[in-house]
Amino acid sequence: MTAATESTVQGAIGQSPKRVEDDRFIRGRGSYVDDVQLPGMLFMAIYRSPFAHATINSIDCSRALAMPGVLACITGKDLEAHGLAWMPTLAGDTQAVLATDKVRFQGQEVVCVIAKTQYQAEDALEGIDVDYDPLPVIVDPGKAMDADAPIIRSDLEGKADNHIFTWESGDADATERVFQEADLVVKLDTLYPRIHPAPMETCGCVSDYNTATGKMTVHLTSQAPHAHRTLFALVAGLPEQKIRIISPDVGGGFGNKVPIYPGYVVATAASLLIGKPVKWIESRSENLISTGFARDYHMSGELAATKDGKMLGLRANVLADHGAFNAQAQPSKWPAGFFNIATGSYDFKAAYCKVDGVYTNKAPGGIAYRCSFRVTEAAYLIERLVENLALETGIDAAEIRRRNFIQPDQFPYRSPMGWEYDSGDYEKALNIALDLVGYEELRKEQAAKRERGEIMGIGFSSFTEIVGAGMSKICDIAGLAMIDSAELRIHPTGKGVLKLGVQSQGQGHETTFAQIVANELGIPSDDIAVEHGDTDHTPYGLGTYASRSTPTGGAATAIVARKLREKARQIAAHMLECAPDDLEFDSGTFSVKGSPDQKKTVQECIFAAYQPGLPEGMENGFEDVTYYDAPEMTYPFGTYICVVDVDKGTGEVKVRKFVAVDDCGTRINPMIVDGQIHGGLTQGFGTAMMELISFDEDGNCFGGNFMDYLIPTAVESPSWTLGECTTPSPHHPIGAKGVGESPTVGSPQAFVNAVVDALSPYGVTNIDMPLSAHKVWKALRDAGVSDE
Amino acid sequence: MSDKTVVTVTVNGEEQEALIEPRLLLVHLIRETLHLTGTHIGCDTSSCGACTVLLDGRPVKSCTVLAVQANGREVTTVEGLEGPDGLHPVQEGFKEEHGLQCGYCTPGMMMTSVALLAENPNPSEQEIREAISGNLCRCTGYVNIVKAVQYAAAKEGATA
């Protein structure tokens, strides 16, 4: 890292200017996809399968076609004629755009109706008649590989089972040897249940084909507009220069808006065929039952340790439920994402994991919901195992972590499953958290309460994340290197535009990325307009997910600003008649070393860049572009401590206090960092306590609307106590690591560990999420604590 | 569905007349007919509150009100908050306290907050949390939304 000197320029790194994007949002002047209203625009609604698995005998749209305003009913057969009935997924599988042969999950897309109004399109869904023959349904992934299991993917030639992949990491033999040596082995079988990102804005698009120019403009709820443009070109066969993706304001993404969904493809095809704009906006129910579920990892973990709590080896076996199509969004070479970060913050001798992916009759996925590709599941498993090791050995939960942390002098640290951690000081984060929560007092209080039969728990999570993909040598999506970009153009008056390949969905890029320029180039952040989300006007990038914006796009921004700073330095030297090396740069001013009144501001240099009389050989103008390929991932970390009180009579869990100490390296805008942490912790709370998408044995989805799929309201949501420490990343230009996902990755296990700690005197060693009052009450009743 | 009816609704102080289907939801009248797209739709079960507007000063989820029910009445949307003297204190509070991220729930959240402060100019944190519990936010964790409402309450108190 080249640490920038602390800049006094308005908006420089470390300051918390208010967000520039808020000016439009608080006035109701944002521009989300559903706000796009075009002349002659048609509307699309989707008829979905009521069955989880059924053969389609026939589809009759005649009643719908006779209804008012209906222009077309598009079936899979219609798409087949254009080679569009199936599409590739990001995971290298294929997915039905509209079902042709059979339906494979409840809510699968079967027919799309195009009508003049939204009401007419939805009315016409009642006029679709599909004749089905129901087939046996697989809901339990554990039964997917049974010999007599029905084959879900009969469309795949030669497919004789429901297995998708087996992926292994680490050294099985070395791990087995370590397990043989160990004094004890702690085991845990746990399900990280199926949940949904559920951003407040659902997915949708307005596809607008211009019959005169042949250009297809798609207004799209997209976290990765450039990658989506390329995928549209590859899937639909449209020339890429004639596709423009506009991802305007995005109402939250959290991974939900990374994949391409069938609705996008059909609306685009319909616009192409009809020659008019077609809008498709998902309803909330459609969002929850069909797009972008996350997790659904059935994990068996084993942790080998000495009796004094020194961890030696980790072994994990995972059954991954991917639903009916393998539509997860991971880098191509990583079918189980970065699950092999599972050794977390601890120094193991050996580790090994094996993940099997299977098909079931459920919605396809799973996407990386506010996490870097299965790191959430991995962080959960290791932190739950460590909690149970503490219970097993009787060693304090903080102390056992302390004994096993990777030490600061071990960085860069090579983990047993192959990752190179950049930097960390795990004990420091733990100590700050212990102080903030008042740990010793709490344990005394807990002991006193236990004497009185009251139930209180303290749960830890000392997580390590892996973010910022990153590293084209190992990471691509659909063959595209996971680079990202920044283009910076400063106008003669010293104010300019930064264009990004990454895509904000609420993270505040228009504010924070201008701050990076302010820091590096010395131009106030207020003078930099940030643009993103329009592929015709921004440089190529892979988009925003996996906490990658700051690690990749932020790095590109710093580097492009530095390139231009060097140009300004040449110009300043030319004007001051000195050598460039004789100049010092501080907060936007170049001054001659030893003669500080001999100086030029960066704005003077920029104006000169547009004037005659530049140094010999230098071109006019003041702009540049950078594509950044990260040398390594970044590894944010932290310690979270959760304190809960449990009601013996009802099983209700009350979060009394939650301390979160995050180390995300350099903090660009502390206000925004705290906001990201608040939001992520609340999502983690939802995961741990409330949220669940489940199915009955016929594959009927429970959790298909906001009355059944409960996300936290202001009443349940706890308040958070935040602490921080800062260990910059040594390889990132400004030392930043990324923060958006740490709290969702790090927090669920802290809640669960707190409840397990609370219930441990009664022999409880595990409860799977979500920790509903009923589930906790049941555990207490089974332990003989609560009455019927 | 062809029997259309005329409604007259005063929206943000301006009388609007529209020929509509009787089943048209108020949120669609606002967004599609009047092109005021600041009011958002986030669910289909009246759970999320993104579509909250004021109907005769009281907050309603406009996805659960028929446009004909608003006939002859006054509707205030987010676009009607800013006055000639600038931002409404609630709008200012949301910006100053970082009470929004993606911005999607923000208009509905602000309308509920405006209604709360009209009724209770000095709410406690718990009262704020209960008042906005019909408005879902997925980004902020509500901490800064509570602060935003407190900011507005303090500002309105100071200028009252």
Side-chain angles (χ1 to χ4, degrees):
Chain A
M1 184 196 65
T2 316
T5 50
E6 205 162 296
S7 174
T8 57
V9 170
Q10 179 274 326
I13 287 174
Q15 299 176 25
S16 293
K18 306 301 177 196
R19 301 196 331 160
V20 298
E21 37 277 88
D22 291 358
D23 290 334
R24 60 181 188 274
F25 293 142
I26 57 174
R27 291 175 170 88
R29 301 271 292 278
S31 178
Y32 302 89
V33 169
D34 195 20
D35 300 342
V36 174
Q37 300 178 352
L38 300 175
M41 188 168 74
L42 305 174
F43 295 82
M44 187 175 97
I46 302 180
Y47 168 90
R48 295 173 181 276
S49 168
F51 293 106
H53 201 192
T55 304
I56 296 174
N57 295 321
S58 64
I59 299 174
D60 181 358
C61 301
S62 53
R63 287 195 306 122
L65 282 165
M67 292 171 79
V70 176
L71 299 177
C73 292
I74 300 168
T75 66
K77 287 269 179 284
D78 298 328
L79 293 181
E80 223 163 34
H82 299 276
L84 285 176
W86 294 80
M87 64 178 183
T89 69
L90 296 177
D93 195 358
T94 52
Q95 174 175 3
V97 176
L98 294 176
T100 49
D101 51 341
K102 61 178 186 175
V103 290
R104 293 171 172 81
F105 67 96
Q106 187 186 58
Q108 186 177 342
E109 302 83 355
V110 182
V111 180
C112 287
V113 177
I114 311 288
K116 287 183 180 168
T117 72
Q118 182 66 35
Y119 283 49
Q120 289 169 333
E122 292 189 16
D123 285 345
L125 299 181
E126 300 293 327
I128 307 282
D129 297 297
V130 182
D131 183 38
Y132 300 97
D133 274 335
L135 295 165
V137 171
I138 302 174
V139 171
D140 178 356
K143 293 182 179 160
M145 291 301 293
D146 288 355
D148 60 347
I151 307 304
I152 295 170
R153 295 302 302 280
S154 44
D155 57 293
L156 298 173
E157 207 178 314
K159 189 74 184 155
D161 59 27
N162 295 309
H163 188 247
I164 309 173
F165 65 85
T166 297
W167 181 77
E168 294 173 274
S169 180
D171 186 331
D173 294 338
T175 306
E176 175 57 27
R177 284 195 296 274
V178 165
F179 270 73
Q180 295 295 339
E181 292 165 16
D183 297 333
L184 57 102
V185 173
V186 172
K187 295 185 182 182
L188 177 70
D189 288 331
T190 184
L191 166 63
Y192 205 125
R194 180 174 282 231
I195 54 174
H196 201 284
M200 292 315 300
E201 177 201 41
T202 59
C203 301
C205 67
V206 178
S207 298
D208 181 17
Y209 183 65
N210 185 320
T211 54
T213 64
K215 185 145 184 171
M216 176 66 78
T217 301
V218 186
H219 305 263
L220 189 67
T221 51
S222 173
Q223 295 179 226
H226 292 277
H228 283 167
R229 185 188 67 203
T230 302
L231 291 169
F232 267 90
L234 294 171
V235 172
L238 296 166
E240 198 168 352
Q241 85 280 13
K242 299 237 168 171
I243 307 172
R244 178 181 181 191
I245 306 288
I246 300 176
S247 189
D249 291 320
V250 178
F254 315 118
N256 196 177
K257 293 165 183 171
V258 173
I260 298 256
Y261 294 117
Y264 302 158
V265 176
V266 184
T268 303
S271 179
L272 193 67
L273 293 172
I274 300 171
K276 289 190 171 180
V278 175
K279 177 185 273 193
W280 170 65
I281 303 291
E282 238 179 16
S283 71
R284 176 58 59 189
S285 306
E286 291 179 293
N287 175 253
L288 290 169
I289 64 170
S290 72
T291 55
F293 85 87
R295 323 299 189 228
D296 220 342
Y297 255 35
H298 298 248
M299 303 186 282
S300 294
E302 294 175 281
L303 200 162
T306 65
K307 56 183 181 304
D308 58 355
K310 177 65 195 159
M311 300 182 216
L312 304 171
L314 175 74
R315 195 153 53 192
N317 212 317
V318 178
L319 187 59
D321 185 340
H322 285 233
F325 306 102
N326 185 18
Q328 66 169 349
Q330 318 284 353
S332 304
K333 298 183 185 77
W334 300 90
F338 304 152
F339 184 77
N340 58 343
I341 192 71
T343 50
S345 305
Y346 311 104
D347 189 13
F348 282 93
K349 280 186 174 177
Y352 167 74
C353 71
K354 175 168 173 279
V355 181
D356 281 287
V358 296
Y359 292 118
T360 59
N361 290 116
K362 302 179 190 169
I367 54 87
Y369 164 29
R370 202 166 180 165
C371 83
S372 188
F373 314 123
R374 304 294 186 187
V375 60
T376 313
E377 293 90 329
Y380 184 81
L381 182 65
I382 180 65
E383 288 301 312
R384 284 289 300 109
L385 279 165
V386 172
E387 175 67 26
N388 284 17
L389 178 66
L391 292 175
E392 175 93 14
T393 57
I395 299 168
D396 175 82
E399 173 58 24
I400 204 159
R401 286 175 167 81
R402 200 189 300 281
R403 285 184 198 176
N404 288 283
F405 280 148
I406 300 160
Q407 295 301 309
D409 61 4
Q410 289 178 274
F411 293 92
Y413 170 83
R414 174 71 58 173
S415 80
M417 289 196 277
W419 292 110
E420 189 167 300
Y421 292 23
D422 56 351
S423 62
D425 190 344
Y426 302 150
E427 191 167 357
K428 187 174 171 192
L430 173 70
N431 288 339
I432 295 170
L434 290 171
D435 280 350
L436 276 173
V437 84
Y439 187 57
E440 282 184 27
E441 286 304 310
L442 283 171
R443 283 294 184 201
K444 282 182 201 156
E445 181 193 342
Q446 184 185 39
K449 284 199 159 155
R450 282 183 175 169
E451 294 274 313
R452 300 198 295 269
E454 293 172 32
I455 306 182
M456 167 189 166
I458 305 166
F460 284 79
S461 169
S462 291
F463 64 93
T464 287
E465 263 226 287
I466 170 172
V467 307
M471 295 173 72
S472 68
K473 61 188 173 193
I474 60 163
C475 289
D476 70 273
I477 286 185
L480 301 166
M482 291 185 73
I483 48 80
D484 233 292
S485 61
E487 182 185 315
L488 182 58
R489 179 182 303 170
I490 312 293
H491 308 315
T493 54
K495 299 164 200 295
V497 184
L498 175 71
K499 300 179 178 212
L500 300 173
V502 293
Q503 167 71 43
S504 180
Q505 313 123 43
Q507 293 91 339
H509 292 170
E510 291 165 46
T511 307
T512 52
F513 281 67
Q515 292 187 253
I516 298 173
V517 176
N519 213 69
E520 299 296 336
L521 196 52
I523 295 175
S525 69
D526 284 351
D527 292 348
I528 303 295
V530 176
E531 292 183 2
H532 56 80
D534 183 340
T535 57
D536 269 8
H537 299 294
T538 52
Y540 204 89
L542 269 273
T544 292
Y545 41 85
S547 283
R548 69 187 297 280
S549 294
T550 298
T552 61
T557 299
I559 288 170
V560 77
R562 287 175 191 178
K563 284 188 197 171
L564 289 178
R565 186 173 73 203
E566 286 317 299
K567 178 164 187 171
R569 182 190 295 275
Q570 301 287 334
I571 296 170
H574 182 65
M575 291 194 289
L576 293 166
E577 296 179 343
C578 66
D581 288 347
D582 290 340
L583 291 173
E584 287 176 326
F585 180 76
D586 181 23
S587 301
T589 299
F590 293 97
S591 56
V592 178
K593 290 175 191 166
S595 311
D597 44 348
Q598 289 270 84
K599 60 189 178 187
K600 290 288 173 190
T601 65
V602 71
Q603 286 86 354
E604 288 173 300
C605 300
I606 293 163
F607 202 84
Y610 289 90
Q611 292 179 311
L614 286 176
E616 185 75 28
M618 183 183 279
E619 289 181 13
N620 281 106
F622 203 79
E623 64 180 85
D624 215 325
V625 61
T626 288
Y627 284 78
Y628 183 77
D629 186 2
E632 281 294 336
M633 306 289 184
T634 58
Y635 294 79
F637 61 92
T639 285
Y640 295 165
I641 306 176
C642 176
V643 186
V644 299
D645 297 298
V646 179
D647 187 310
K648 256 202 287 205
T650 64
E652 195 185 350
V653 175
K654 185 153 179 45
V655 177
R656 187 204 309 179
K657 188 157 195 179
F658 195 105
V659 165
V661 177
D662 272 283
D663 190 327
C664 56
T666 304
R667 294 181 175 216
I668 298 166
N669 181 318
M671 173 190 81
I672 286 178
V673 169
D674 285 355
Q676 289 286 307
I677 295 169
H678 288 161
L681 291 173
T682 307
Q683 290 186 350
F685 171 77
T687 300
M689 310 302 290
M690 305 166 72
E691 298 179 27
L692 178 67
I693 289 183
S694 62
F695 298 83
D696 71 8
E697 59 187 14
D698 295 325
N700 293 306
C701 176
F702 300 138
N705 59 60
F706 273 161
M707 291 191 295
D708 296 327
Y709 190 77
L710 302 178
I711 68 173
T713 77
V715 169
E716 300 87 40
S717 298
S719 293
W720 315 104
T721 304
L722 305 189
E724 65 174 276
C725 59
T726 302
T727 311
S729 172
H731 63 72
H732 187 275
I734 59 169
K737 291 188 171 188
V739 72
E741 299 171 337
S742 288
T744 22
V745 169
S747 68
Q749 53 271 26
F751 297 102
V752 178
N753 283 342
V755 173
V756 169
D757 179 58
L759 271 50
S760 60
Y762 310 105
V764 174
T765 55
N766 186 45
I767 308 185
D768 282 342
M769 301 183 290
L771 303 182
S772 61
H774 176 255
K775 218 188 259 184
V776 174
W777 172 81
K778 202 162 159 295
L780 286 166
R781 185 203 54 186
D782 293 348
V785 181
S786 301
D787 296 331
E788 286 291 338
Chain B
M1 298 298 168
S2 57
D3 293 336
K4 292 200 170 178
T5 187
V6 174
V7 291
T8 306
V9 185
T10 301
V11 180
N12 300 331
E14 201 174 317
E15 195 173 277
Q16 304 277 1
E17 195 177 271
L19 182 65
I20 60 165
E21 282 187 56
R23 64 170 175 168
L24 187 76
L25 298 172
L26 178 58
V27 69
H28 290 131
L29 176 82
I30 293 167
R31 287 181 52 81
E32 312 293 332
T33 313
L34 304 177
H35 306 294
L36 293 170
T37 55
T39 302
H40 300 145
I41 300 170
C43 74
D44 40 22
T45 49
S46 303
S47 307
C48 80
C51 64
T52 305
V53 300
L54 302 185
L55 184 60
D56 290 339
R58 292 175 60 86
V60 295
K61 291 181 176 176
S62 61
C63 73
T64 319
V65 176
L66 292 167
V68 292
Q69 291 176 282
N71 191 29
R73 300 170 74 179
E74 288 197 14
V75 170
T76 309
T77 70
V78 63
E79 290 90 345
L81 283 183
E82 189 173 9
D85 301 331
L87 291 174
H88 188 284
V90 166
Q91 291 174 301
E92 203 179 299
F94 271 73
K95 176 165 180 170
E96 288 299 314
E97 297 294 343
H98 188 30
L100 65 152
Q101 290 180 27
C102 82
Y104 201 78
C105 76
T106 311
M109 196 68 82
M110 291 194 306
M111 298 317 289
T112 300
S113 305
V114 167
L116 166 68
L117 294 179
E119 203 169 88
N120 179 357
N122 191 20
S124 67
E125 174 172 349
Q126 191 56 30
E127 286 170 334
I128 295 170
R129 285 180 177 270
E130 280 169 17
I132 61 170
S133 64
N135 292 74
L136 298 176
C137 170
R138 195 59 159 161
C139 296
T140 65
Y142 305 104
V143 175
N144 289 348
I145 292 178
V146 171
K147 287 187 194 162
V149 178
Q150 289 168 333
Y151 175 101
K155 173 128 193 194
E156 285 185 334
T159 56

